[in-house]
Amino acid sequence: MTFGFAPPPSADSASRVGRMLQPAEWAAAGIPLLRNPREVVTGLHSRHLPTPSTAVVAVLDPDERLTASASFVRRAAAVDGWDFRNALLAQLRRVIPHDLRRRTPIRTAVLLYCREGESRWTDEDGAWMWGLRDACTLHGLRCGAYITLTRDGWRVLGEGRGGRRPHSASLPVELDVAVEGDSDPKPLPRPHLGARTALSHSAAV
C-alpha cells in the first residue's frame, strides 16, 4: 500500500514563500499613510491607463507631489517577490536618481497594481509588497502604499481605504476634473515643474 505524501518543498519554492509579506507584516511595517489616496490613484490612472497585470510605480516628494512614475506589464507566471523587486528597481533606476547618500529617505515610492479577481489580499499582493519594500531600500526611498486596482475599484491594502472609481476597466479622467462622488471637489495634482514622469511601456517581469 502506498500513501500520497507530498514531496518536501524544494529550496527554491521555500525561498519564494519567504519573499512575500503577510497582511499583518505589512501593517506592522510602519508604511506612511497617503494624505489623499484618491487623488494619487486617479492621477496615476489618468497618466498610465493600467489594464490587468500592469504595475505602476510612482515616487512622491514630501508634499505628496508626483516626481516620477513608470508602468510595466507583469508577464512571468511565477509569483516571486525577488522578480518583482528586480522589475521595480529597474524602473526606479530608469526614471529617478537614487537617494542612497541621504541618511533618511525623503521621497516615497508607492505601487499601484491592476489585476483581475477580488480586492482582498492574495499571495501575489504579498510578493509585490516584499518587492516594493526591498526595491525602496536599495534605491534609498521610503516604502509607501501598495494599492490594488480591480473591477471592484481601488484599495490601499493594509489601511482599509478604497473607492469604486477608478477601477480596472475605467476610462481615463482629465487631470483637471474633480473625481465623481467627491463631496468637496478639488482639482487633481499635476507634477511640479521639473518632474520626470515616464510614459507607460511594457516590460517582462
Side-chain angles (χ1 to χ4, degrees):
M1 181 181 295
T2 58
F3 296 90
F5 289 116
S10 65
D12 182 62
S13 63
S15 63
R16 286 184 180 180
V17 171
R19 292 194 290 259
M20 69 171 58
L21 295 178
Q22 298 293 325
E25 294 176 296
W26 183 256
I31 305 300
L33 300 179
L34 290 170
R35 290 194 295 269
N36 196 329
R38 185 186 298 275
E39 286 190 355
V40 172
V41 172
T42 305
L44 293 178
H45 181 269
S46 297
R47 289 178 176 87
H48 293 274
L49 301 180
T51 55
S53 297
T54 300
V56 181
V57 60
V59 179
L60 308 178
D61 72 8
D63 295 320
E64 213 167 271
R65 294 179 299 183
L66 180 63
T67 300
S69 64
S71 63
F72 58 96
V73 176
R74 174 184 181 268
R75 299 190 186 281
V79 173
D80 191 341
W82 181 274
D83 292 333
F84 294 170
R85 187 280 304 270
N86 291 342
L88 291 169
L89 191 58
Q91 299 301 318
L92 290 170
R93 286 172 174 167
R94 189 177 66 82
V95 299
I96 196 167
H98 67 74
D99 278 345
L100 294 173
R101 294 183 181 87
R102 296 184 178 274
R103 289 188 175 183
T104 304
I106 62 170
R107 295 186 289 195
T108 302
V110 300
L111 178 60
L112 172 70
Y113 183 54
C114 182
R115 61 170 173 78
E116 302 285 4
E118 300 177 359
S119 59
R120 61 183 178 84
W121 183 90
T122 66
D123 286 350
E124 183 181 24
D125 296 323
W128 278 115
M129 289 171 169
W130 190 96
L132 176 63
R133 185 186 65 177
D134 217 43
C136 288
T137 299
L138 294 174
H139 206 62
L141 301 169
R142 288 201 307 170
C143 179
Y146 173 70
I147 307 159
T148 58
L149 193 69
T150 66
R151 281 276 183 178
D152 296 331
W154 59 272
R155 182 182 178 194
V156 185
L157 294 193
E159 294 186 20
R161 293 191 290 177
R164 289 182 296 177
R165 292 178 179 275
H167 51 75
S168 59
S170 289
L171 296 175
V173 176
E174 289 294 330
L175 296 183
D176 289 334
V177 178
V179 178
E180 180 181 351
D182 280 353
S183 57
D184 182 21
K186 298 177 182 178
L188 297 173
R190 292 181 180 275
H192 63 284
L193 293 177
R196 301 190 302 168
T197 304
L199 297 178
S200 297
H201 75 287
S202 297
V205 181

